[in-house]
Amino acid sequence: MGENPMRIVVLDGCAANPGDLSWDALRALGETVIYDRTPTEEIVPRALGADAVLTNKCPMTAETIAALKGLKYIGVLATGYNIVDVAAAKAAGVAVTNVPAYSTRAVAQHVFALTLEIASRVGMHARAVAEGEWTNAKDFCFWNAPLTELAGKRLGIVGYGAIGRAVGEIGRAFGMMVDAYSPSRCEKSRLDEIIRTADVISLNCPLKPDTAEMINRSTLSMMMRGAWLINTARGGLVNEADVAEALRAGQLGAYAADVVSVEPIRADNPLLTAPNTILTPHIAWAPYETRVRLMNIAVNNLSAFLTGTVLNRMDV
């Protein structure tokens, strides 16, 4: 960068660091400006003159990259990097990095937070106790919904990368029988078998053209009646209207998701009014320890770039 300090702009730092972490390690690498959020129309004005831009969800399109003449580096504060036109960045000589594998255990944990809420209904019963139902109960115990033991149930994992394997480890610890399918292997018959036989299906695969809405009216009709579907991957993996219909019909026993097709969730999303549905606001990746790891990797990526080292580069 010559004698001039590197200029770093963080476009939407609030998600990774809403204030409980430190940006000091990033500031040590250069003159740093941090925005909590950046509207699309403000991306270019705010990033003008930057050598490095860090982004979580702010899109770096071909037009944006072309407008930022001095840009040398784009760091994605996430694993998925579809918000960056990598081909345009490469053509412009702009390095692109991501943060892989930082949230594997946290996401697997959240899969079972959702699964256990369906199985044990802890939240429902805690609210009932707080509202006086136990105080007024005729017996020493009560339950307002069926409770389920996971041991012996068949867990079908769709997407058997690092997260899928971690989900499988936890499932086995609960005594579940684990089946797995990797979309990259294109074993359609294997996927059909899992869909037909699993008591619980966990979606842990990327959203790609061949996986978009892979859960739809047809595949839902193949599932065992009353099966549970857990989605911590991407909302676009399911047809949400079809899932809501299957829930209302009782074909699908429960749907629990940390993601939806459009985020923040729209008021007209059919899942908001579907029965036996649990939705969390895209938080599987967000434990404190996980975000510390994300920040450390993001800083290391940029530091490596400054020394000419290839680390987590998507443009090579």
Side-chain angles (χ1 to χ4, degrees):
M1 301 303 159
E3 296 181 358
N4 295 322
M6 168 170 256
R7 297 192 64 196
I8 305 165
V9 173
V10 181
L11 291 171
D12 52 351
C14 186
N17 180 13
D20 57 347
L21 304 179
S22 172
W23 291 106
D24 287 351
L26 183 65
R27 289 191 173 100
L29 298 179
E31 176 187 319
T32 303
V33 178
I34 299 163
Y35 298 98
D36 283 345
R37 301 169 186 84
T38 295
T40 301
E41 64 273 14
E42 289 293 316
I43 292 175
V44 170
R46 289 183 175 182
L48 276 175
D51 300 297
V53 166
L54 272 61
T55 175
N56 190 318
K57 292 293 183 289
C58 289
M60 299 297 290
T61 64
E63 293 76 15
T64 296
I65 293 167
L68 301 176
K69 300 300 183 183
L71 188 64
K72 302 173 180 64
Y73 177 94
I74 299 171
V76 181
L77 295 168
T79 301
Y81 53 93
N82 57 308
I83 56 158
V84 179
D85 189 324
V86 177
K90 185 174 182 178
V94 177
V96 179
T97 67
N98 75 333
V99 182
Y102 72 96
S103 63
T104 297
R105 290 292 173 181
V107 175
Q109 172 181 306
H110 202 76
V111 169
F112 277 89
L114 295 171
T115 303
L116 288 168
E117 181 57 32
I118 300 170
S120 298
R121 302 291 182 178
V122 171
M124 171 195 292
H125 288 98
R127 286 190 297 272
V129 171
E131 291 166 3
E133 287 193 43
W134 201 10
T135 303
N136 299 317
K138 295 179 180 178
D139 302 304
F140 75 95
C141 68
F142 71 93
W143 54 93
N144 292 338
L147 307 177
T148 303
E149 185 176 277
L150 294 180
K153 299 294 187 293
R154 189 172 295 277
L155 171 62
I157 301 172
V158 180
Y160 208 53
I163 294 173
R165 290 192 295 273
V167 169
E169 290 176 15
I170 299 172
R172 292 185 187 95
F174 275 107
M176 303 181 80
M177 298 176 288
V178 176
D179 292 329
Y181 163 77
S182 177
S184 62
R185 296 181 181 177
C186 301
E187 299 169 339
K188 180 66 165 55
S189 60
R190 179 67 176 148
L191 175 61
D192 289 350
E193 179 185 355
I194 287 175
I195 289 175
R196 288 192 178 99
T197 61
D199 299 288
V200 182
I201 297 173
S202 177
L203 302 180
N204 299 108
C205 59
L207 177 60
K208 297 180 178 180
D210 59 338
T211 61
E213 296 194 0
M214 66 189 305
I215 302 299
N216 51 48
R217 184 173 300 176
S218 174
T219 48
L220 287 160
S221 69
M222 293 166 53
M223 294 181 187
M224 292 195 302
R225 187 171 181 82
W228 305 347
L229 180 62
I230 315 295
N231 185 5
T232 57
R234 288 291 182 266
L237 294 173
V238 309
N239 181 304
E240 291 169 338
D242 290 352
V243 168
E245 180 183 340
L247 287 162
R248 286 191 293 268
Q251 170 61 22
L252 188 61
Y255 180 65
D258 188 50
V259 288
V260 291
S261 57
V262 177
E263 296 172 349
I265 193 168
R266 292 171 43 140
D268 62 352
N269 189 304
L271 296 173
L272 286 172
T273 55
N276 300 317
T277 301
I278 299 171
L279 300 173
T280 53
H282 207 141
I283 56 172
W285 67 280
Y288 175 85
E289 298 83 357
T290 307
R291 290 182 292 108
V292 168
R293 190 177 304 118
L294 181 153
M295 296 272 284
N296 288 341
I297 296 172
V299 171
N300 288 341
N301 285 348
L302 180 53
S303 180
F305 169 74
L306 294 176
T307 63
T309 304
V310 175
L311 183 62
N312 297 321
R313 290 275 292 271
M314 299 296 105
D315 59 305
V316 294

